[in-house]
Amino acid sequence: MLQNNERRLVEAAEAAVRSLPDGDTHTVAAAAMDTQGRVFTGVNVSHFTGGPCAELVAVGAAAAANAGPLLTIVAVGDRDRGVLAPCGRCRQVLLDLHPEVFVVVPTEDAGLVTRPVRDLLPYSYVATHPTG
């Protein structure tokens, strides 16, 4: 069961994904909350050359706003796909940049839970200097 601040984060990501235009360029929105309770959103950018996931765009938006450490993050898919678990690359980036962050993920019974990013990437490589 989600706490109020986690539900607020899911609602922010749902609102962001609902605002996206139809198409294949932007299909996922993410919302991240920092230690001050500020919420930062981002959307993915799909392109044949690659592109960032919504979680990474939200992390960048938080960094651009001088956010404190991120507490929780969630991603929501368009077309009523609901909450999505982060991909492996996002899990690694989150672990390296915000090792204490919690991630809202779907459960097998269509519920939602919050788990530490470390639990989503067991036996992971931990960068000692993730930015350099």
Side-chain angles (χ1 to χ4, degrees):
M1 179 160 226
L2 299 182
Q3 302 295 319
N4 286 339
N5 63 337
E6 296 161 347
R7 279 194 291 277
R8 184 176 79 134
L9 203 59
V10 171
E11 291 168 2
E14 288 172 341
V17 83
R18 280 193 306 271
S19 73
L20 296 174
D22 288 336
D24 294 330
T25 303
H26 308 290
T27 58
V28 177
M33 183 180 295
D34 73 357
T35 54
Q36 298 174 20
R38 296 184 298 166
V39 174
F40 307 92
T41 59
V43 299
N44 71 318
V45 181
S46 293
H47 188 265
F48 74 91
T49 62
C53 294
E55 296 94 329
L56 300 184
V57 175
V59 167
N66 293 316
L70 297 181
L71 294 177
T72 311
I73 191 165
V74 63
V76 174
D78 68 349
R79 300 179 183 114
D80 297 319
R81 290 184 291 151
V83 171
L84 305 172
C87 72
R89 178 179 71 164
C90 287
R91 292 174 192 213
Q92 186 67 56
V93 171
L94 289 169
L95 180 64
D96 290 345
L97 300 182
H98 297 280
E100 304 303 319
V101 74
F102 284 80
V103 183
V104 179
V105 293
T107 62
E108 291 180 12
D109 62 354
L112 298 175
V113 295
T114 305
R115 295 288 181 253
V117 71
R118 292 179 188 283
D119 289 0
L120 301 182
L121 205 56
Y123 308 106
S124 61
Y125 169 81
V126 178
T128 55
H129 301 287
T131 59

